[in-house]
Amino acid sequence: VPNSKNLGRVAIGGVVGQNNGNIEKCTNKANVNANVSITSTGGNWSSSVYHSASALIGGVVGHFNTGRIGECVNYGNVELKATNYNSSYSNASIYSYVGGVAGYVEAVEALLEESANLGSLNVNAEDHGNVSSTTIGGLCATNLGIVKNCYAEN
């Protein structure tokens, strides 16, 4: 979505951004591209408040809570450009999770099985003076659930 603003967290996926159920027998052939940045907003910026942005990006789903991702394939490239413009504030961070199938799998009962990523992952992170975090994974960037019989080519 060009020129959009979100103060907090975004979840972007080739099939669905965020899901709390089953995703089965789906295919994504489109590229998933995201551009996330955080910058001070003039008089509204406070050095005593923690400012952060999170990007959860996946070829199939960005943020997966509970349920099953089964028999899904991502063919598209997943790309993120993350830029932190706050060189004078140590309390400004971008947390990025980029996965070939899922960006962030949150629940221990979540199941990712018989799925594959055949696309490439590309992250361009620019940090102007602060520490931000980028986690990348062929299947999932971060996974708290169960992975069975899956494949990642890149």
Side-chain angles (χ1 to χ4, degrees), residues 10 12 15 21-23 46 49-50 66 71 82 84 86 90 93 99-100 105 119 121 123 139 141 150 153:
V10 294
I12 302 166
V15 176
N22 295 336
I23 303 173
S46 169
V49 177
Y50 185 77
T66 61
E71 300 176 58
N84 188 343
N86 295 292
S90 62
S93 299
V105 179
L121 304 174
V123 174
L139 293 170
C150 292
E153 188 170 281

Side-chain angles (χ1 to χ4, degrees), residues 82-95:
T83 308
N84 188 343
Y85 291 106
N86 295 292
S87 61
S88 59
Y89 294 100
S90 62
N91 60 345
S93 299
I94 297 176
Y95 300 98

Side-chain angles (χ1 to χ4, degrees), residues 13-15 27-33 58-60 73-78 119:
V15 176
T27 300
N28 176 49
K29 293 186 178 181
N31 292 334
V32 179
N33 300 303
V60 175
V73 180
N74 174 54
Y75 292 97
N77 299 324
V78 182

Side-chain angles (χ1 to χ4, degrees), residues 19-21 32 65 68 73 75 104 109 114 120 131 146 148 152 154:
N19 191 64
N20 295 321
V32 179
N65 286 318
R68 176 182 184 263
V73 180
Y75 292 97
Y104 194 95
E109 62 272 5
E114 299 175 4
S120 67
V131 176
I146 300 165
K148 290 183 181 179
N154 296 307

Side-chain angles (χ1 to χ4, degrees), residues 82-137:
T83 308
N84 188 343
Y85 291 106
N86 295 292
S87 61
S88 59
Y89 294 100
S90 62
N91 60 345
S93 299
I94 297 176
Y95 300 98
S96 305
Y97 305 89
V98 179
V101 175
Y104 194 95
V105 179
E106 189 162 342
V108 295
E109 62 272 5
L111 175 62
L112 172 61
E113 68 178 339
E114 299 175 4
S115 295
N117 174 43
L118 303 176
S120 67
L121 304 174
N122 183 29
V123 174
N124 178 8
E126 295 180 33
D127 208 343
H128 300 277
N130 299 306
V131 176
S132 293
S133 171
T134 301
T135 306
I136 305 167

